[in-house]
C-alpha cells in the first residue's frame, strides 16, 4: 500500500455518502440513537461490513441518508471525504452525489448542493481547486501539485469536480431538475451527470429526456451500467454513448463486443464488485480482459467508507490479482487523466503532476 499511497492518483467514481468515515457514521448514529430516531445497533451493523448483496447495500444507503441528510452534516462529510482522498494522494477527485430534497427540514436540491460546496470551502488540510474560474474557489496560480504557501511550508493541492447523480427511483421531472441544477452550478465545479441507485429499480427511458438535455447543454455523462444482467438496458446505455460507464459487470457477448468497439472508458470498482457479489471472485474480474484488450479503464473506490477501501488499496489489489508491475500500474493511473470531465487546463496541469512523479520514479 505504501508505494501506491505515495503515487499521485485520479479518482473518478466516488459517491459522497458511500465515502463517509466509519467514525463519523458511528458518531451520527449515536446521536440519533439517543434521540430515538434510529436504532443504534443498525448503524453498528453497517460498520461491521460483512459482505452483502447489492440489494442490501441500497438498504444501507437508506439508513446512511437518515444520518447524513441535513445541511450541517452534508457540509461536514464533504469536507472529511475530500480530506481523506487528499491524504491518500488523490490529486483529482470527481465526487458524485444525489441532490436531495427534504421539505420537513427545509432542504431543496439546491440547498443540499450549497451545503456540499460549503464543505469544499471548509477543507483545511489541503488546498482545494473546485471551480473552473476564480469564482468561489481558492485556485492556485502555480499548477504544480505541491505549492508553497505564504509561510513557506509546502501544502498539498487537490482538484475536485462534482457530478450530480440521478437516483433510479426518481421521476423524469425530478431527473430534469437535477440536470438544470447542474447547469446552474457549473461555476462551482459541476461537470457532469451520473445515473445510479438500485439497478433493479426504474427504467432507462425515464431518464433519457434529462440525459439528452444534459448532453445538449454540454455536460458529460457517466452511467452505472451492467450491475445486473439486463441486456436490453445495457445495449440502450451503450448506444447512448456516454462519456464513461461504471462497473460493466454483467455484459453478455454481444454487449461486450459493443463496449469494446465503442471504446467508452470503464470505471472499475474491484472491492465493491466483490463485496456485493456482483463478481464472484477477483481472478474472474473483467478488469483483466479489458486491460489486455487495451480498453480505456480506471480504478475507482465507489464507496470507500461502506466497502472499507481506498484508492491506494484498489491499486494494490489490482497489482496483486493481475500480476501487473508498478510501472504498468503507474501508467494506468496516469492514463486516467484522459477520462476526466474537467476542462483542458486541468488536464494539462494533471499531466504535469504525473510527469513530475514519473521522473521521481526513474
Ligand atoms: P449519495 O449520492 O447519497 O452521496 O451517495 C450514495 C448513493 O449513491 C446511493 O444511495 C446510491 O444511489 C448511489 N450508489 C452508491 N454506490 C452505488 C453502487 O455501487 N451502485 C449504484 N447503482 N449506485 C450506488
Amino acid at each position: 500500500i505504501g508505494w501506491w499511497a505515495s503515487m499521485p492518483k485520479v479518482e473518478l467514481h466516488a459517491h459522497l455518502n458511500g465515502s463517509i468515515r466509519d467514525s463519523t457514521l458511528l458518531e451520527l448514529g449515536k446521536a440519533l440513537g439517543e434521540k430515538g430516531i434510529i436504532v443504534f445497533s443498525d448503524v453498528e451493523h453497517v460498520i461491521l461490513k460483512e459482505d452483502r448483496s447489492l440489494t442490501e447495500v441500497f438498504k444501507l444507503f437508506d439508513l446512511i441518508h437518515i444520518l447524513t441528510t441535513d445541511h450541517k452534516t452534508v457540509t461536514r462529510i464533504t469536507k472529511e471525504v475530500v480530506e481523506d482522498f487528499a491524504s491518500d494522494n488523490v490529486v483529482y477527485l470527481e465526487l458524485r452525489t444525489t441532490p436531495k430534497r427534504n421539505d420537513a427540514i427545509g432542504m431543496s436540491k439546491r440547498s443540499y448542493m450549497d451545503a456540499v460546496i460549503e464543505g469544499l470551502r471548509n477543507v483545511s488540510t489541503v488546498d482545494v481547486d473546485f471551480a473552473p474560474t476564480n469564482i468561489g474557489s481558492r485556485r492556485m496560480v502555480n499548477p504544480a501539485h505541491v505549492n508553497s504557501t505564504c509561510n513557506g511550508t509546502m501544502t498539498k493541492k487537490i482538484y475536485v469536480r462534482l457530478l450530480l447523480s440521478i437516483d433510479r427511483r426518481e421521476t423524469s421531472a425530478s431527473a430534469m431538475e437535477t440536470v438544470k441544477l447542474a447547469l446552474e452550478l457549473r461555476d462551482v465545479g459541476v461537470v457532469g451527470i451520473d445515473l445510479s441507485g438500485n439497478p433493479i429499480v426504474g427504467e432507462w427511458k425515464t431518464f433519457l429526456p434529462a440525459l439528452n438535455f444534459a448532453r445538449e447543454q454540454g455536460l458529460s455523462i457517466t452511467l452505472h451500467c451492467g450491475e445486473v444482467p439486463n441486456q436490453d438496458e445495457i445495449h440502450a446505455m451503450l448506444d447512448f454513448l456516454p462519456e464513461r460507464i461504471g462497473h460493466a459487470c454483467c455484459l453478455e457477448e454481444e454487449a461486450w463486443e459493443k463496449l469494446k468497439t465503442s471504446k467508452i472508458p470503464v470505471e472499475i470498482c474491484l472491492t465493491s464488485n466483490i463485496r456485493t457479489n456482483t463478481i464472484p471472485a477477483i481472478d474472474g474480474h473483467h478488469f483483466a480482459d479489458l486491460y489486455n484488450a487495451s480498453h480505456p479503464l480506471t480504478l475507482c473506490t465507489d464507496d470507500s467508507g461502506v466497502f472499507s477501501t481506498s484508492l491506494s488499496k484498489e491499486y494494490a489489489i489490482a497489482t496483486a490479482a493481475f500480476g501487473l508491475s508498478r510501472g504498468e500500474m503507474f501508467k494506468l493511473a496516469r492514463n486516467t487523466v484522459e477520462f476526466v470531465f474537467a476542462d483542458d487546463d486541468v488536464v494539462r496541469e494533471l499531466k504535469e503532476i504525473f510527469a513530475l512523479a514519473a521522473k521521481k520514479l526513474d
Side-chain angles (χ1 to χ4, degrees):
I1 289 271
W3 194 81
W4 299 116
S6 62
M7 182 183 76
K9 290 170 292 297
V10 169
E11 168 66 79
L12 299 183
H13 188 133
H15 298 269
L16 174 62
N17 276 283
S19 307
I20 185 171
R21 286 178 192 162
D22 283 358
S23 55
T24 301
L25 208 54
L26 273 176
E27 190 189 317
L28 297 170
K30 258 187 204 138
L32 288 199
E34 279 160 18
K35 287 186 192 159
I37 297 172
I38 55 141
V39 178
F40 178 62
S41 58
D42 289 353
V43 179
E44 275 185 315
H45 179 72
V46 173
I47 308 290
L48 292 177
K49 294 189 189 74
E50 301 294 323
D51 289 358
R52 47 175 74 87
S53 70
L54 209 52
T55 306
E56 285 165 330
V57 164
F58 291 104
K59 282 195 200 135
L60 279 187
F61 277 119
D62 286 343
L63 175 64
I64 292 175
H65 288 145
I66 295 172
L67 301 176
T68 59
T69 308
D70 72 79
H71 296 111
K72 246 177 66 190
T73 309
V74 168
T75 296
R76 171 183 174 177
I77 63 173
T78 305
K79 169 184 153 63
E80 290 178 356
V81 165
V82 171
E83 290 182 349
D84 290 348
F85 275 108
S87 77
D88 192 32
N89 265 320
V90 168
V91 293
Y92 175 94
L93 165 66
E94 245 167 56
L95 188 61
R96 55 186 78 189
T97 193
T98 321
K100 296 168 188 74
R101 178 178 158 183
N102 183 349
D103 293 338
I105 56 162
M107 177 181 279
S108 62
K109 286 189 176 191
R110 170 73 202 223
S111 72
Y112 175 92
M113 284 312 301
D114 288 343
V116 169
I117 290 152
E118 186 61 19
L120 299 181
R121 292 207 171 93
N122 287 356
V123 170
S124 58
T125 59
V126 58
D127 281 317
V128 182
D129 177 315
F130 65 89
T133 64
N134 284 325
I135 313 165
S137 88
R138 288 178 273 152
R139 183 149 195 166
M140 293 285 142
V141 182
N142 176 357
H145 172 43
V146 176
N147 292 293
S148 298
T149 57
C150 49
N151 64 9
T153 55
M154 304 295 260
T155 55
K156 281 207 300 198
K157 173 180 172 183
I158 185 169
Y159 290 91
V160 180
R161 293 296 182 270
L162 299 170
L163 305 181
L164 301 199
S165 300
I166 296 168
D167 186 315
R168 296 180 62 111
R169 287 179 288 197
E170 292 184 66
T171 61
S172 297
S174 177
M176 189 63 91
E177 195 194 331
T178 294
V179 171
K180 287 185 178 157
L181 179 58
L183 294 171
E184 277 174 39
L185 297 176
R186 277 176 144 168
D187 278 358
V188 279
V190 173
V191 289
I193 297 290
D194 158 55
L195 176 64
S196 54
N198 193 340
I200 60 168
V201 173
E203 276 190 81
W204 165 246
K205 67 172 191 286
T206 307
F207 312 108
L208 199 51
L211 294 171
N212 276 327
F213 179 62
R215 168 166 285 171
E216 273 163 36
Q217 297 295 315
L219 289 166
S220 298
I221 294 163
T222 178
L223 305 172
H224 280 63
C225 174
E227 288 175 287
V228 290
N230 177 348
Q231 300 305 313
D232 287 347
E233 184 183 89
I234 291 168
H235 277 280
M237 284 182 166
L238 294 175
D239 290 340
F240 179 77
L241 290 178
E243 278 70 23
R244 301 195 306 252
I245 58 170
H247 298 294
C249 298
C250 306
L251 278 61
E252 285 172 10
E253 197 56 36
E254 212 182 314
W256 195 239
E257 287 314 312
K258 190 180 270 187
L259 170 63
K260 284 190 177 161
T261 312
S262 73
K263 298 275 175 217
I264 299 168
V266 181
E267 303 152 359
I268 298 277
C269 309
L270 296 171
T271 299
S272 163
N273 294 161
I274 300 299
R275 287 212 160 211
T276 57
N277 254 326
T278 310
I279 301 286
I282 189 98
D283 36 353
H285 197 282
H286 50 293
F287 170 94
D289 190 354
L290 289 176
Y291 184 86
N292 290 332
S294 300
H295 189 89
L297 53 85
T298 167
L299 289 177
C300 308
T301 54
D302 202 8
D303 300 293
S304 54
V306 168
F307 298 127
S308 297
T309 191
S310 67
L311 197 51
S312 297
K313 273 194 198 167
E314 295 303 300
Y315 273 88
I317 289 168
T319 310
F322 308 111
L324 298 171
S325 67
R326 284 182 176 182
E328 286 167 320
M329 294 306 282
F330 180 81
K331 212 169 134 201
L332 191 76
R334 188 178 190 162
N335 280 351
T336 297
V337 173
E338 305 294 339
F339 320 132
V340 306
F341 289 168
D343 58 48
D344 291 347
D345 286 347
V346 177
V347 171
R348 247 192 313 279
E349 291 174 15
L350 290 173
K351 283 183 176 170
E352 280 182 34
I353 291 166
F354 277 95
L356 234 121
K359 272 192 203 144
K360 278 191 205 154
L361 211 73
D362 291 341

